[in-house]
């Protein structure tokens, strides 16, 4: 963790702290404590060399004019630091600002480099995104600055680079994203891809948006196991700031939308990373009115084809009267710990008296996927009449209809703790839990609506209690994912409980069915 300490109005120093996997401080030292002024430091890891790079924008650097990108390496085992050196070079004039660093989790043969990106301010109306690869011996790779976007007369701001270039072997690459300034409603996110060896794979590309507003402050995840990256950005629609996203497969957006974070307040100052299959997003959320109270939160998501699923709802990192913002998060996988579910998050906290501190914490994303209610008996689809939201069609004992609940971790295999509970069925009725591989909007089925379809498996048959309740599985019974042959690492499955209802009530049928549950099983 690297951060700036303000020594005076013209001198900021940078300090580094190293933490182990369980949150214990194992080392600390200054990266810069000279008359140079280092600001906005960032860091990343080279797993092959057991090393970190700290880079920052710096002024008052001997032999350099204006603002430059300055850095030094830090050995993880000993905390030994290299001499300070410039990453930006003078063949590209102008101030260099707002740097970020991408690392490489590779620990196999071959060479690994850091990717440092920054904003170059040539004139007030011409600002660009540049990059350079840095080797573990604190030397610069390649013949010169990599011009990610050097467009004349465009204003390109605040570049973000993925925390690592992922686990794709020879296909490993960093994604770089930023926003281009324009008139109202013409701020747009741009992105490019840089291979692990510095080859520009995809030049600057505008990412289209389907909704009006100002798109700004992009944050890029490391590549997932399938090579896609998630870009999270803020959108101002004229009244509020909301976080939006898109997946990139190369430079092709495969999905886009607004993140379902929290209905109230404004959200931004966000960060995103991945453990390969899940994504963790940190963000700041305004509380009430005024700008003095912001809280920080984390949420986890699963990437599924062209969709994104919440797997853990908003979890507080820092709540209270202080202003907590400027979040950053990194997965242990980005440093090479493949298979880990652990993330580390840091953020600013500004107290009422103006004291600013850096706060951090570990986050273990939960196992299991997501699930929710579906196939409600509402409207004209029910054979006789509808019931209420989350319930099935009415039955002879409960006019509100029977419904299916789910709790636990939707993790196939030994981690499966899912429990399905059918409620409001007729007393002591015989009932059966069914699993399907697909579902529809519902077709008449006895006195109810059946949505489960595809390859259907009968999970288990049992008798409901006198209160009309049945639990699947009961104590001692195998988990539902095992009986349903849910594959690892996961899959979509759909569930309903059919029950006997022989009383003359609706149609001549002697059975009915509950509302449904959709489950996205995940490790």
């Amino acid at each position: 963790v690297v951060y700036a300490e303000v020594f005076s109005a013209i001198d900021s120093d940078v300090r580094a702290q190293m933490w182990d996997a369980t949150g214990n401080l194992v080392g600390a030292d200054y990266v810069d404590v000279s008359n140079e002024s280092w600001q906005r430091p960032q860091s990343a890891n080279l797993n092959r060399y057991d090393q970190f790079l700290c880079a920052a924008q710096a002024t008052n650097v001997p032999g350099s004019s204006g603002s430059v990108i300055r850095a030094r390496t830090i050995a993880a085992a000993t905390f030994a630091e290299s001499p300070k050196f410039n990453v930006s070079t003078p063949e590209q004039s102008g101030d260099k600002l707002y740097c970020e660093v991408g690392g490489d989790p590779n620990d196999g043969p071959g060479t690994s480099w850091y990717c440092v990106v920054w904003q170059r301010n040539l004139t007030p109306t011409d600002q660009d995104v540049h990059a350079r690869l840095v080797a573990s011996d604190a030397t610069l790779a390649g013949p010169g600055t990599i011009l990610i976007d050097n467009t004349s007369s465009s204003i390109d701001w605040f570049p973000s680079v993925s925390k690592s270039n992922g686990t794709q072997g020879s296909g490993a690459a960093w994604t770089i994203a930023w926003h281009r300034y324009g008139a109202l409603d013409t701020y747009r996110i741009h992105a490019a891809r840089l291979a692990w060896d510095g080859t520009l794979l995809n030049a600057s590309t505008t990412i289209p948006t389907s909704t009006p507003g100002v798109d700004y402050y992009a944050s890029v995840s490391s590549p997932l196991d399938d090579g896609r990256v998630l870009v999270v950005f803020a959108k101002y629609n004229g009244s509020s700031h909301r976080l939006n996203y898109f997946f990139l497969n190369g430079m092709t957006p495969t999905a886009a939308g607004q993140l379902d974070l929290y209905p109230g307040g404004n959200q931004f100052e966000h960060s995103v990373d991945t453990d390969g299959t899940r994504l963790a997003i940190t963000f700041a959320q305004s509380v009430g009115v005024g700008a003095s109270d912001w809280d920080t939160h984390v949420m986890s998501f699963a990437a599924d084809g062209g969709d994104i699923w919440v797997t853990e709802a908003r979890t507080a990192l820092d709540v209270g009267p202080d202003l907590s913002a400027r979040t950053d998060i990194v997965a242990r996988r980005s440093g090479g710990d493949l298979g880990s579910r652990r993330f580390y998050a840091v953020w600013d906290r500004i107290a009422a008296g103006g004291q600013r501190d850096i706060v951090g914490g570990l986050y273990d994303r939960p196992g299991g996927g997501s699930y929710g209610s579906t196939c409600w008996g509402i409207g004209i689809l029910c054979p006789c009449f509808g019931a209420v939201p989350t319930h099935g069609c009415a039955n002879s004992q409960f006019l509100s209809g029977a419904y299916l609940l789910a709790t636990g971790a939707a993790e196939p295999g030994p981690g499966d703790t899912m429990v399905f509970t059918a409620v409001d069925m007729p007393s002591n009725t015989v009932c059966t839990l069914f699993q399907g591989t697909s579902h529809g909007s519902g077709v008449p089925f006895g006195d109810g609506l059946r949505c489960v379809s595809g390859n259907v498996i009968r999970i288990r048959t049992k008798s409901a209690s006198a209160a009309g309740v049945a639990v699947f599985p009961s104590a001692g019974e195998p988990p539902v994912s095992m009986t349903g042959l849910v594959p690892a690492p996961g899959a979509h499955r759909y569930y309903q409980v059919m029950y006997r209802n022989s009383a003359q009530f609706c149609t001549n049928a002697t059975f009915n069915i509950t509302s449904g549950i959709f489950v996205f099983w995940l490790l």
Side-chain angles (χ1 to χ4, degrees), residues 84-391:
K84 294 182 286 186
F85 61 96
N86 285 1
V87 178
S88 58
T89 47
E91 90 277 4
Q92 297 294 328
S93 58
D95 285 333
K96 288 84 174 181
L97 309 164
Y98 308 127
C99 68
E100 284 209 352
V101 186
D104 191 333
N106 173 53
D107 63 354
T111 304
S112 299
W113 291 279
Y114 301 101
C115 177
V116 184
V117 301
W118 63 88
Q119 174 183 317
R120 188 275 297 266
N121 289 1
L122 183 61
T123 70
T125 59
D126 188 357
Q127 297 166 16
D128 306 300
V129 176
H130 292 170
R132 194 72 187 263
L133 298 193
V134 177
S136 61
D137 62 358
T139 61
L140 305 181
T145 302
I146 303 171
L147 307 180
I148 302 297
D149 192 310
N150 208 52
T151 310
S152 298
S153 301
S154 67
I155 301 177
D156 298 288
W157 278 357
F158 299 110
S160 171
V161 64
S162 47
K163 301 291 196 301
S164 78
N165 55 24
T167 59
Q168 302 294 306
S170 60
W174 295 280
T175 298
I176 301 163
W178 63 95
H179 71 256
R180 177 168 290 178
Y181 169 81
L184 186 64
D185 199 30
T186 60
Y187 279 73
R188 287 295 176 260
I189 303 299
H190 286 240
R193 289 176 71 237
L194 195 66
W196 65 275
D197 62 358
T199 303
L200 187 61
L201 298 175
N202 299 97
S204 174
T205 303
T206 304
I207 307 300
T209 182
S210 59
T211 57
V214 174
D215 300 338
Y216 67 102
Y217 289 169
S219 178
V220 190
S221 75
S222 296
L224 283 80
D225 289 341
D226 63 11
R228 292 180 301 157
V229 301
L230 185 73
V231 180
V232 179
F233 60 97
K235 179 184 285 288
Y236 179 64
N237 59 17
S239 61
S240 63
H241 301 262
R242 291 286 185 269
L243 295 189
N244 284 244
Y245 73 93
F246 52 81
F247 277 114
L248 284 181
N249 186 357
M251 281 293 102
T252 303
T254 60
Q258 180 174 302
L259 287 172
D260 183 17
L261 299 177
Y262 187 71
N266 294 298
Q267 301 133 12
F268 48 38
E269 301 201 340
H270 47 279
S271 181
V272 58
D273 204 12
T274 181
D275 63 10
T277 60
R278 306 297 184 83
L279 297 133
I281 299 173
T282 54
F283 60 96
Q285 170 84 38
S286 64
V287 179
V289 295
S292 62
D293 189 0
W294 289 73
D295 296 332
T296 51
H297 305 272
V298 63
M299 293 180 68
S300 63
F301 298 82
D304 174 46
D307 210 346
I308 186 168
W309 298 66
V310 175
T311 53
E312 184 169 55
R314 188 181 66 141
T315 300
L317 292 172
D318 195 346
V319 297
D322 299 332
L323 195 160
S324 298
R326 291 195 62 191
T327 66
D328 203 359
I329 191 167
V330 63
R332 283 182 52 79
R333 171 184 177 274
S334 292
D337 189 6
L338 306 184
S340 174
R341 296 177 174 179
R342 177 156 289 184
F343 296 76
Y344 194 79
V346 295
W347 59 93
D348 282 4
R349 178 193 288 165
I350 305 175
Q355 174 67 34
R356 184 191 295 258
D357 294 306
I358 306 299
V359 187
L362 298 170
Y363 172 65
D364 289 335
R365 62 92 170 161
S370 59
Y371 48 87
S373 179
T374 186
C375 198
W376 299 350
I378 299 177
I380 63 173
L381 292 178
C382 283
C384 293
F385 53 89
V388 296
T390 75
H391 290 234

